[in-house]
Amino acid sequence: MPESTAVWQGGLEFSISQDDHEFTIDGSAEFGGRDRGVRPKSLILTALIGCTGMDVVSILEKMKIRIYGLTVTARGEYTEEHPKVFRYIKIEYKFTGDDLPLSKIERAVNLSQEKYCGVSEMLRGKMELSYDIILEKP
Amino acid sequence: MPESTAVWQGGLEFSISQDDHEFTIDGSAEFGGRDRGVRPKSLILTALIGCTGMDVVSILEKMKIRIYGLTVTARGEYTEEHPKVFRYIKIEYKFTGDDLPLSKIERAVNLSQEKYCGVSEMLRGKMELSYDIILEKP
């Protein structure tokens, strides 16, 4: 059963134990934290790019496409009113390589977004989700 | 603007850069990963307990309640069908201390869940969310 635990360390700092790995979350100085770790709400962005990133490399592996670099970035904007939620999230998939097969890459990204990525599915309908694919020569 | 970046490291491993902090996500051995970091989908649980945990300690601070320990745990269960999403998430707030004021603690948790916690709001309606409050003597 998926599980995560947060132990309060004072201030806004919590020690996280998830999947037998540890990391720290904290607030920014602006909001009374000491910035000793990541912001919890932005972990939604990380969950999203991690989930779809793993999908895409797995699908491309099955298509025998292996020699490339991939950086996935998500940027979001919060609503003004409380509770502050993401009004939209935009994902950018940047592939680096020679002779990258655009149509297969588009198919892998679409399969993740439409069929496999559980995080996208959990957020769908609650905000605007969009993505761009960028191909770059090394 | 909230932002997170994942750089592929081979296999299912990605290096995450979020809020000027770094950590690693990876798949479990069962799903072809090397378990060098946390699972991305479970980061939804961490986002949730981090968000509500920070709310609760902030609200209790405003109520002048300071001397206690707090551990917040979330456990989820996935659907069987793809895309696998959380069917439910259950949160446990465990407070440790002497003479803990239950009604104020309940009020702080309720305020977070009903009013302030943006992560709860983003997940609401997409799954069953519930919580328990536990008070313990040290």
Side-chain angles (χ1 to χ4, degrees):
Chain A
M1 179 179 281
E3 180 174 324
S4 182
T5 298
V7 180
W8 187 37
Q9 304 297 321
L12 295 176
E13 184 183 344
F14 286 81
S15 296
I16 301 296
S17 176
Q18 185 200 316
D19 306 309
D20 295 320
H21 296 276
E22 322 290 324
F23 63 102
T24 299
I25 61 169
D26 199 355
S28 63
E30 183 190 357
F31 291 103
R34 288 167 298 194
D35 189 28
R36 293 189 181 167
V38 294
R39 257 34 99 218
K41 215 184 290 184
S42 300
L43 284 174
I44 294 286
L45 303 177
T46 303
L48 182 59
I49 59 178
C51 175
T52 185
M54 287 187 187
D55 282 350
V56 167
V57 298
S58 299
I59 296 166
L60 290 175
E61 168 78 21
K62 285 186 186 130
M63 293 173 176
K64 313 288 185 202
I65 295 160
R66 285 167 186 155
I67 315 290
Y68 62 93
L70 172 59
T71 298
V72 189
T73 301
R75 297 178 181 91
E77 189 175 279
Y78 291 126
T79 54
E80 293 293 325
E81 66 279 11
H82 285 280
K84 294 201 178 205
V85 298
F86 285 114
R87 197 165 63 76
Y88 72 82
I89 298 175
K90 182 152 200 171
I91 306 172
E92 179 190 282
Y93 299 84
K94 184 153 74 180
F95 293 84
T96 314
D98 285 310
D99 304 318
L100 290 166
L102 177 59
S103 65
K104 289 185 176 177
I105 284 173
E106 283 180 335
R107 178 154 169 73
V109 170
N110 289 342
L111 274 171
S112 171
Q113 286 296 337
E114 303 302 325
K115 190 166 175 185
Y116 292 114
C117 180
V119 177
S120 295
E121 180 61 25
M122 283 187 266
L123 301 176
R124 205 187 309 281
K126 304 292 281 191
M127 66 197 63
E128 192 186 324
L129 286 176
S130 63
Y131 61 85
D132 285 335
I133 297 172
I134 296 172
L135 304 190
E136 273 191 354
K137 295 271 186 191
Chain B
M1 179 181 282
E3 181 173 324
S4 180
T5 298
V7 180
W8 187 37
Q9 303 297 323
L12 294 176
E13 183 183 344
F14 286 81
S15 295
I16 301 297
S17 176
Q18 185 200 314
D19 306 309
D20 294 320
H21 295 275
E22 322 288 325
F23 63 102
T24 299
I25 61 169
D26 199 355
S28 63
E30 183 190 356
F31 291 103
R34 289 167 296 192
D35 188 27
R36 293 189 180 167
V38 294
R39 257 36 98 216
K41 215 183 290 184
S42 300
L43 284 174
I44 294 287
L45 303 177
T46 303
L48 182 59
I49 58 178
C51 175
T52 185
M54 287 186 186
D55 282 350
V56 167
V57 298
S58 300
I59 295 166
L60 290 174
E61 167 78 21
K62 284 185 188 130
M63 294 175 177
K64 313 288 185 203
I65 296 160
R66 285 168 186 155
I67 315 292
Y68 62 94
L70 172 60
T71 298
V72 190
T73 301
R75 297 178 181 91
E77 189 175 278
Y78 292 126
T79 54
E80 293 292 325
E81 65 278 10
H82 285 279
K84 293 201 179 206
V85 298
F86 285 114
R87 195 165 64 75
Y88 72 83
I89 297 176
K90 181 151 200 171
I91 306 173
E92 179 191 282
Y93 299 84
K94 184 155 73 182
F95 292 85
T96 313
D98 285 310
D99 304 317
L100 290 165
L102 176 59
S103 65
K104 288 186 177 177
I105 284 173
E106 283 180 335
R107 176 153 171 75
V109 170
N110 289 343
L111 274 171
S112 171
Q113 286 296 337
E114 303 303 324
K115 190 165 177 187
Y116 292 115
C117 179
V119 176
S120 294
E121 179 61 26
M122 284 187 265
L123 301 177
R124 205 187 310 281
K126 304 291 281 191
M127 66 195 64
E128 190 187 324
L129 286 176
S130 63
Y131 61 87
D132 285 335
I133 297 172
I134 296 172
L135 304 190
E136 272 192 355
K137 295 269 184 193

